[in-house]
Amino acid sequence: VQDAASSPDPVSGGHEGSQQRWKEKICQILGEIQAPLSSLLLRLCYWLLPKLLSRLFLSVQLHRGQLEMVLRAARTPEVPVVFLCSHQSQVDGLLLSFVLLSQGIGLPRVAVGAWTSPRLRSLLQRLGGIFLPSWSELDDGLPGAVLDAYVQEVLRSRQPLVLFLEEPPASLQLTDSARRWLLRVLRALQDGAVPDVLIVPVGIAYDVAP
């Protein structure tokens, strides 16, 4: 991020003005990616979610043997876990977050598509959702550097990261947003930000998708 912000800003006057302008841009980009978690909203959501799931589904089934493997993987010291998921409906993110949290794995950071309205985006960010910043030069320059640094910090802190590989209903085609998130995980490995990453494939299926 410092390298990307090292060039002088011709709009602002002087070195101090340029630094302040870069800081404002960085905070703006970071604010588009994530927001501080709301403990009140999290408690409310995970109190309401079981009631919602019981209305939508007869049951939610987990493969016990596979879940035990995931729990062992999550306890590996200094190695973050990245869940790569199929995507069947817009409920998937909340459902998977609830399952991981209820099993003691922790609240994941869930990459959300750009389909949301501004109000829903703000709500999902408070619940752990993360978004690609809406900048045209995302793969280069300051936006790309901030996104790289953010993913590295998520992995270093061993927060579970959930990436959906496709848009619902499942299209069996890697989306552009998934490619961008995966590129950041790969760069974190190449740059030595984390020694390794445990990849967990997740399949979500419904008898009838909500």
Side-chain angles (χ1 to χ4, degrees), residues 17-64:
S18 177
Q19 277 193 332
Q20 182 61 31
R21 190 172 180 84
W22 282 122
K23 287 179 181 179
E24 291 174 358
K25 286 184 178 179
I26 291 168
C27 290
Q28 180 185 356
I29 297 167
L30 189 58
E32 291 188 6
I33 298 173
Q34 61 116 53
L37 297 174
S38 169
S39 58
L40 177 61
L41 280 176
L42 285 168
R43 285 196 296 267
L44 179 62
C45 179
Y46 290 110
W47 176 75
L48 288 173
L49 197 56
K51 302 178 186 302
L52 173 64
L53 294 177
S54 65
R55 294 291 184 92
L56 288 176
F57 312 116
L58 293 176
S59 64
V60 177
Q61 299 179 3
L62 303 175
H63 191 290
R64 180 59 59 182

Side-chain angles (χ1 to χ4, degrees), residues 45-97:
C45 179
Y46 290 110
W47 176 75
L48 288 173
L49 197 56
K51 302 178 186 302
L52 173 64
L53 294 177
S54 65
R55 294 291 184 92
L56 288 176
F57 312 116
L58 293 176
S59 64
V60 177
Q61 299 179 3
L62 303 175
H63 191 290
R64 180 59 59 182
Q66 293 177 356
L67 182 59
E68 290 174 356
M69 292 174 62
V70 172
L71 291 171
R72 286 200 300 270
R75 290 192 289 266
T76 305
E78 298 184 5
V79 178
V81 180
V82 177
F83 296 88
L84 301 184
C85 313
S86 60
H87 206 359
Q88 302 289 333
S89 82
Q90 305 294 2
V91 185
D92 294 349
L94 287 174
L95 177 62
L96 191 54
S97 295

